[in-house]
């Protein structure tokens, strides 16, 4: 896959691909979809100019800031009223809880209900329980408040290291632009000004820097160790309600997710979870049973046909921690992140198994296989169909793209290709896309 921006990759003729359908992974408050240039075939994504890659019949949406930017996205009309309704419900619940506590006191022995006393402090919970995980994690999860020319809103983030770096989603802070304001709010209600260190729309990640005094960084686990069925906990600020904790399981792995507006999409081989994730959860951590970060919550599903997302329907997506660590370290070091490519143009019209490289005569002003690129050096030719990557089946071009993007620049991958009646196994080294 090449990086599809001017001068860096081939541009097929307008009739070489079908018009791209709207991506099912769009900002949660977007209505309709932007127009796309049908001349672009499927290529390696680039944050400045990339086609949309629909991957699933159901829609998905960013778990956007609870008050979305006004200039680029339409805010949901229910957000403010919904937040007030929730606040009223919380107050009513608190009053009811106090009354209930008084009633449940019981009388002398034998005259009332038996009271089972826990050993130790009432606040203690077994290791690995959701309560124990939450107690350790919540102080290191922050609410992010953004205002700027692109609008205002809230999202989530978490403490990455002892230098005051905070990890969040790019779409949480992008509304700040060049001159906007970003602040974090801690669990005690105090706020600190934050500086954007770097952000990357292709992986939908951003790094902030704040005064590190009193902050505890979160332990990070390897997403490669995660399996379907693992218990997970999500922490964040849905609808601006800070320090909210939800739990569930890992529902699926390597779910191809592309989300965002035209030219500003992210491409994720995502962890799918049924832990409730709502607008405002974006950027918050997804934790395993040991309380380690294994993902960054970034998107939620949208029921097909709905114009805007009303909340969690039990299908949320997180960026795997292995990708997060690699990207965040690059953002801290240089302010930018590398994006691996293989240097081919893929055919979205292809209906068969795998991902098909365009034939040479379908490309105008470029090449189906970039000369001296990773694919060319490995022996891939125009018209080849990539059917496997590292011994695992490739079902379509979307899956191939997110698998490539989950790798690091310099990694070696093995591709199985079908060329006519022959099957070949080729090894290539991934290279970095040339960024504008």
């Amino acid at each position: 896959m090449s990086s599809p921006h001017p001068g860096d990759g081939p541009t097929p003729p307008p009739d070489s691909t079908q018009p791209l359908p709207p991506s099912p992974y769009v900002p949660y408050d977007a209505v309709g979809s932007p127009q796309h240039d049908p001349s672009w075939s499927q290529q390696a994504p680039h944050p400045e100019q990339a086609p949309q890659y629909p991957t699933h019949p159901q829609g998905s949406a960013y778990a956007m800031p609870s008050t979305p930017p006004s200039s680029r996205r339409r805010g949901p009309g229910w957000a403010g009223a919904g937040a007030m309704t929730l606040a009223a419900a919380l107050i009513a619940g608190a009053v009811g809880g106090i009354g209930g506590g008084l009633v449940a006191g019981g009388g002398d022995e034998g005259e009332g209900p038996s009271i089972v006393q826990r050993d130790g402090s009432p606040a203690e919970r077994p290791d690995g329980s959701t309560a124990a995980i939450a107690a350790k994690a919540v102080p290191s999860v922050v609410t992010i408040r953004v205002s700027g020319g692109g609008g205002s809103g809230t999202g989530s983030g978490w403490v990455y290291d002892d230098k005051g770096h905070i990890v969040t989603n790019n779409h949480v802070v992008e509304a700040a632009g060049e001159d906007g304001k970003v602040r974090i709010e801690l669990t005690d209600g105090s706020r600190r000004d934050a500086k954007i260190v770097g952000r990357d729309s292709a992986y939908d990640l951003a790094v902030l820097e704040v005064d590190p005094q009193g902050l505890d960084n979160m332990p990070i686990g390897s997403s490669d160790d995660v399996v379907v069925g693992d218990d997970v906990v999500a922490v964040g600020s849905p609808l601006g309600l800070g320090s909210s904790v939800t739990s569930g399981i890992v529902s699926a792995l390597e779910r191809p997710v592309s989300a965002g507006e035209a030219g500003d999409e992210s491409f994720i081989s995502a962890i799918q979870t049924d832990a409730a994730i709502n607008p405002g959860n974006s950027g918050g951590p997804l934790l395993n049973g040991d309380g380690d970060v294994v993902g960054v919550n970034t998107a939620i599903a949208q029921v097909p046909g709905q114009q805007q997302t009303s909340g969690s329907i039990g299908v949320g997506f997180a960026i795997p921690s292995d990708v997060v660590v690699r990207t965040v370290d690059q953002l801290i070091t240089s302010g930018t992140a590398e994006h691996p490519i293989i240097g081919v143009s893929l055919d979205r019209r292809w209906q068969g198994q795998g991902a098909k490289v365009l034939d040479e005569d379908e490309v105008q002003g470029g090449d189906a296989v970039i000369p001296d690129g990773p694919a060319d050096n490995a022996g891939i030719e125009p018209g080849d169909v990539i059917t496997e990557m590292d011994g695992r089946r490739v079902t379509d071009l979307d899956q191939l793209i997110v698998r490539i993007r989950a790798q690091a620049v310099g990694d070696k991958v093995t591709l199985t290709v079908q060329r006519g009646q022959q099957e070949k196994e080729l090894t290539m080294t991934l290279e970095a896309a040339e960024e504008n």
Side-chain angles (χ1 to χ4, degrees):
M1 288 168 286
S2 64
S3 183
H5 56 280
D8 191 42
T11 305
D15 60 351
S16 68
T17 57
Q18 295 176 338
L20 299 181
S23 170
Y25 300 104
V26 296
Y28 91 99
D29 55 327
V31 178
S33 61
Q35 296 298 314
H36 304 286
D37 180 359
S39 67
W40 278 107
S41 63
Q42 187 72 34
Q43 298 184 347
H46 181 276
E48 299 302 324
Q49 185 177 12
Q52 291 189 336
Y53 306 127
T55 60
H56 193 275
Q58 286 192 346
S60 174
Y62 283 144
M64 286 291 294
S66 57
T67 307
S70 59
S71 65
R72 294 184 60 193
R73 301 182 173 90
R74 303 180 184 176
W78 52 265
M84 289 187 289
T85 303
L86 282 171
L90 290 171
I91 292 171
V95 173
I98 293 171
L102 293 173
V103 172
D108 295 334
E109 185 177 351
E111 295 181 358
S114 298
I115 304 300
V116 178
Q117 200 73 17
R118 292 182 181 272
D119 293 331
S121 168
E124 291 181 357
R125 294 294 185 270
D127 289 342
S129 67
T130 300
I133 293 170
K136 294 179 181 179
V138 164
S140 297
V141 179
V142 303
T143 299
I144 297 175
R145 301 187 181 277
V146 180
S147 60
S152 63
T154 61
S156 306
W158 49 281
V159 182
Y160 183 72
D161 57 23
D162 58 4
K163 298 179 177 62
H165 290 122
I166 305 292
V167 172
T168 186
N169 284 138
N170 172 65
H171 75 261
V172 169
V173 300
E174 65 180 343
E178 297 295 329
D179 303 317
K181 190 172 186 179
V182 181
R183 306 182 79 185
I184 69 162
E185 182 176 302
L186 305 177
T187 53
D188 62 3
S190 63
R191 297 185 181 184
R192 301 182 188 183
D193 290 336
K195 177 182 71 173
I196 298 177
V197 173
R199 60 190 189 93
D200 185 80
S201 61
Y203 287 120
D204 194 26
L205 290 169
V207 180
L208 310 178
E209 187 174 14
V210 301
D211 179 356
Q213 184 176 0
L215 300 182
D216 293 322
N217 58 290
M218 302 193 72
I220 303 174
S222 174
S223 52
D224 194 48
D225 295 333
V226 173
V227 299
V228 173
D230 277 350
D231 291 329
V232 286
V233 174
V235 186
S237 303
L239 302 177
L241 300 172
S243 304
S244 293
V245 178
T246 57
S247 65
I249 63 169
V250 173
S251 304
L253 297 173
E254 292 192 327
R255 194 66 88 188
V257 171
S258 60
E261 298 179 359
D264 200 29
E265 297 95 339
S266 57
F267 304 87
I268 307 162
S269 182
I271 298 172
Q272 181 183 322
T273 179
D274 68 349
I277 298 173
N278 288 282
N281 268 121
S282 275
L286 186 70
L287 311 172
N288 64 13
D290 294 324
D292 300 333
V293 178
V294 293
V296 172
N297 302 316
T298 189
I300 56 180
Q302 177 174 295
V303 176
Q306 287 192 355
Q307 293 298 315
Q308 63 182 25
T309 301
S310 59
S312 171
I313 58 172
V315 184
F317 305 98
I319 306 166
S321 60
D322 292 347
V323 174
V324 172
V325 169
R326 182 172 66 243
T327 306
V328 166
D329 286 347
Q330 291 174 359
L331 292 176
I332 292 173
T333 300
S334 66
T336 60
E338 293 181 323
H339 308 129
I341 61 168
I342 64 173
V344 298
S345 297
L346 300 177
D347 189 355
R348 178 161 289 281
R349 303 166 305 168
W350 176 249
Q351 298 296 313
Q353 187 78 25
K356 183 178 183 294
V357 180
L358 283 168
D359 291 314
E360 199 63 64
D361 60 2
E362 295 177 306
V363 182
Q364 287 182 345
D367 302 279
V369 179
I370 304 301
D372 202 31
D376 184 40
N377 293 334
I380 287 183
E381 298 180 358
D384 283 352
V385 178
I386 300 171
T387 59
E388 291 184 7
M389 175 174 163
D390 290 334
R392 298 159 59 203
R393 178 183 298 177
V394 172
T395 57
D396 55 33
L397 80 181
D398 301 303
Q399 189 176 70
L400 176 63
I401 286 174
V402 296
R403 281 189 185 173
I404 292 295
R405 294 306 287 271
Q407 305 295 314
V409 172
D411 283 353
K412 292 183 182 296
V413 298
T414 301
L415 299 181
T416 301
V417 302
Q418 190 75 33
R419 184 178 302 162
Q421 300 301 314
Q422 293 183 323
E423 187 174 84
K424 295 181 176 292
E425 192 172 274
L426 306 172
T427 300
M428 72 175 62
T429 302
L430 301 179
E431 296 179 4
E434 296 181 12
E435 311 291 358
N436 283 337

